C-alpha cells in the first residue's frame, strides 16, 4: 500500500488531514518526531492511514482525473477570454 505522509500545515494539502490519510502537524521538530514515531510504532494506525491515503490518491489524483480537471480549467478560461 505504501506509507502515509507526515506533513506540516505549510504544505497546504488539507485533504491529508480531512481524509485521515496522514498526520498534519504545525511544524517543529518535536511535532514531526511525535508523528513519525506514531506511525513507526502503531502499525494499525499506519496501515489505516496508508489505506486512506491510497483511496484519496485513486479518487482525486490519478492522471486521468487531474487531466480532466486541467482541461476543465483551460476550457473555462477560454470561455471567459476577452476578444
Amino acid at each position: 500500500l505504501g506509507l502515509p505522509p507526515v506533513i506540516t500545515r505549510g504544505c497546504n494539502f488539507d485533504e491529508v488531514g480531512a481524509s485521515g490519510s496522514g498526520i498534519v502537524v504545525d511544524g517543529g521538530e518535536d511535532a514531526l518526531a511525535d508523528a513519525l514515531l506514531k506511525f513507526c510504532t502503531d502499525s494499525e494506525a499506519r496501515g489505516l492511514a496508508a489505506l486512506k491515503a491510497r483511496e484519496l490518491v485513486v479518487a482525486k489524483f490519478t492522471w486521468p482525473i487531474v487531466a480532466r480537471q486541467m482541461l476543465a480549467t483551460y476550457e473555462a478560461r477560454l470561455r471567459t477570454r476577452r476578444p
Side-chain angles (χ1 to χ4, degrees), residues 3-32:
L3 297 173
V6 173
I7 63 173
T8 64
R9 295 201 190 288
C11 290
N12 294 317
F13 195 19
D14 297 334
E15 293 92 337
V16 169
S19 67
S21 61
I23 299 175
V24 182
V25 298
D26 288 326
E29 294 173 10
D30 290 339
L32 286 168

Side-chain angles (χ1 to χ4, degrees), residues 54-75:
R54 177 154 178 75
E55 290 171 353
L56 175 64
V57 168
V58 168
K60 292 189 168 193
F61 300 105
T62 62
W63 280 115
I65 291 170
V66 172
R68 279 194 299 275
Q69 291 171 341
M70 289 301 299
L71 181 60
T73 299
Y74 290 138
E75 288 173 340

